[in-house]
Amino acid sequence: MPNSVLCHIAESVQTLAPYQPGRPIEEVSREHGITDIIKLASNENPLGPGNVVLQALRELPAAAVARYPDSGSSTLRVALAEKLQVTPECLIFGNGSNEILELAAQLLLTETTAAVYSQHAFVVYKLAVAARRARARVTPAATDYGHDLNAIAEAAQSDDVRLIFVDNPNNPTGNWHSQARIADLLRQVPKHVLVVVDEAYCEYADEEGVLPLLTEYPNLLITRTFSKIHGLASLRVGYGIGDAELIQMFNRVRQPFNVSMPAQVAALAALRDTAHVERSRRLNDAGMRQINDELKKLELPVMPSRGNFLTFSVSNADVVYQQLLAAGVIVRPLAGYDLPEWLRVTIGTETENARFLQALREALNKCAQ
């Protein structure tokens, strides 16, 4: 019997493809009957969390699990505010930075309003806008597949636009705009339009990011995460930085207890472990050179990246992706980002990178036969 409820679901949602994460190791293991698998698909830190975080989690009392967490993440809020040199009222925490992105859409979008984002931007923007039944004004990519900030500024002049999403560095293309270029965008955008600059990978590119622009632009919201360089992807804790009055509005629609106590404790410990961040950055820089150099030797087009991943083009991308899976190497196909001939690989350890490159060479040789 057909489910009659479905006819009342917005067409923008009915036609939407669900978010496709990187294939889980367990799933690939069952499918291919292999156990020696490396996952380079989800831009996770190959080092995982640092020892300071692991020790803090080991010392968690039972109450940290049995009782509801601090809904305002107050201890973490004060510590992070001090590190960033902002007031605690300028911070909001979420179940990953994805929740902050969703809250922005929830707060500002309706069926009669619109959001602007770039053609190859992080797919969650599209999902968040469609879920609000709002209009999406998708700007064509620049020549390097990244954001055309001038086109975004022009699209924002429309009377129905309330929200702009810009991921910087961009995922999956990896390109990056300087603080001066983002400031130029903010100068062109109407003051009533919220500009969300998603800096999930900022520690890999430029630790300061666009933070200094907050004092001049109250319509700027910066989102960041502990999932990437800090290695806390499974614990799901991200945050937004913005004008205190704007953050108050976000807190009115935020779910209570949205960040677990183990996540808060781990994030607080991660802030102290600056050595782990620096170690992770050095590993990423070395791995970026290792993979980038070999991809160029293979004469494969590579997008310049300021994140912890590289996106490269290859003929028969889907076939190569499947052959890599069979070899126990999980990367990310990008057909869902309108980049069907491109694959994205996360920077791993030196050993993981070498294994990926060897599996790629073998896959390319098979395709050439």
Side-chain angles (χ1 to χ4, degrees):
M1 178 183 297
N3 189 336
S4 300
V5 173
L6 301 182
C7 67
H8 296 294
I9 295 175
E11 184 180 353
S12 61
V13 175
Q14 292 192 38
T15 59
L16 200 63
Y19 178 77
Q20 295 293 326
R23 293 283 300 277
I25 289 175
E26 297 78 9
E27 183 177 88
V28 174
S29 177
R30 289 193 300 270
E31 183 176 308
H32 292 276
I34 52 179
T35 56
D36 185 15
I37 296 173
I38 58 170
K39 184 181 178 185
L40 301 175
S42 298
N43 300 342
E44 298 143 334
N45 185 337
L47 297 179
N51 289 331
V52 176
V53 168
L54 295 175
Q55 185 60 33
L57 291 173
R58 291 187 194 100
E59 295 173 358
L60 274 177
V65 177
R67 299 187 184 280
Y68 289 108
D70 172 1
S71 188
S73 304
S74 56
T75 303
L76 176 59
R77 179 188 308 277
V78 170
L80 183 58
E82 182 177 355
K83 180 179 178 65
L84 299 177
Q85 293 297 289
V86 300
T87 62
E89 293 75 22
C90 291
L91 293 172
I92 183 171
F93 291 87
N95 186 252
S97 57
N98 276 24
E99 184 182 14
I100 311 299
L101 304 174
E102 293 278 356
L103 289 176
Q106 180 181 346
L107 200 63
L108 291 164
L109 297 181
T110 67
E111 293 183 23
T112 61
T113 59
V116 179
Y117 53 86
S118 183
Q119 180 183 3
H120 303 301
F122 186 35
V123 72
V124 165
Y125 310 150
K126 178 181 180 180
L127 300 178
V129 173
R132 307 299 161 202
R133 306 188 181 194
R135 304 184 186 106
R137 301 199 181 280
V138 183
T139 60
T143 54
D144 60 355
Y145 295 93
H147 303 317
D148 184 336
L149 297 185
N150 291 329
I152 289 174
E154 184 177 349
Q157 306 307 314
S158 179
D159 290 340
D160 62 350
V161 172
R162 299 291 180 270
L163 180 61
I164 294 172
F165 289 112
V166 176
D167 43 347
N168 196 45
N170 182 43
N171 173 28
T173 65
N175 50 16
W176 160 266
H177 288 290
S178 68
Q179 184 185 120
R181 289 290 292 118
I182 299 296
D184 186 53
L185 170 67
L186 287 162
R187 279 192 291 271
Q188 298 179 66
V189 168
K191 301 305 179 187
H192 66 270
V193 175
L194 178 64
V195 179
V196 178
V197 178
D198 179 354
E199 294 190 334
Y201 301 93
C202 72
E203 294 93 348
Y204 289 110
D206 179 339
E207 196 164 0
E208 185 178 57
V210 299
L211 190 59
L213 301 180
L214 277 175
T215 56
E216 187 176 352
Y217 297 99
N219 63 325
L220 169 64
L221 179 75
I222 302 166
T223 61
R224 295 181 178 178
T225 183
F226 285 88
S227 295
K228 302 305 178 184
I229 205 165
H230 295 291
L232 306 185
S234 184
L235 288 174
R236 312 301 301 127
V237 53
Y239 58 98
I241 321 162
D243 174 73
E245 289 185 323
L246 176 66
I247 295 300
Q248 281 186 10
M249 295 298 126
F250 271 77
N251 275 315
R252 294 183 185 189
V253 294
R254 175 181 62 84
Q255 289 292 316
F257 314 120
N258 60 328
V259 181
S260 73
M261 203 63 209
Q264 292 181 41
V265 168
L268 185 62
L271 285 180
R272 300 195 304 268
D273 198 353
T274 56
H276 182 68
V277 170
E278 185 55 37
R279 185 163 53 249
S280 299
R281 189 182 292 117
R282 288 197 305 270
L283 179 74
N284 188 71
D285 290 346
M288 186 77 74
R289 290 189 296 270
Q290 179 186 6
I291 293 180
N292 196 40
D293 289 349
E294 289 302 315
L295 292 177
K296 288 182 177 179
K297 288 179 183 178
L298 292 169
E299 299 183 346
L300 299 177
V302 185
M303 296 185 192
S305 175
R306 296 290 294 273
N308 67 338
F309 54 87
L310 279 168
T311 296
F312 63 98
S313 181
V314 59
S315 299
N316 302 314
D318 187 60
V319 174
V320 171
Y321 167 67
Q322 293 296 336
Q323 289 177 347
L324 289 173
L325 280 183
V329 179
I330 310 173
V331 298
R332 189 68 170 271
L334 297 178
Y337 282 89
D338 196 25
L339 294 166
E341 293 301 310
W342 294 80
L343 299 174
R344 190 193 70 196
V345 58
T346 303
I347 307 301
T349 64
E350 182 179 4
T351 301
E352 289 172 335
N353 298 338
R355 181 171 166 192
F356 154 70
L357 291 166
Q358 180 60 32
L360 178 62
R361 291 187 200 97
E362 293 172 0
L364 294 175
N365 288 335
K366 288 181 182 177
C367 287
Q369 293 173 358

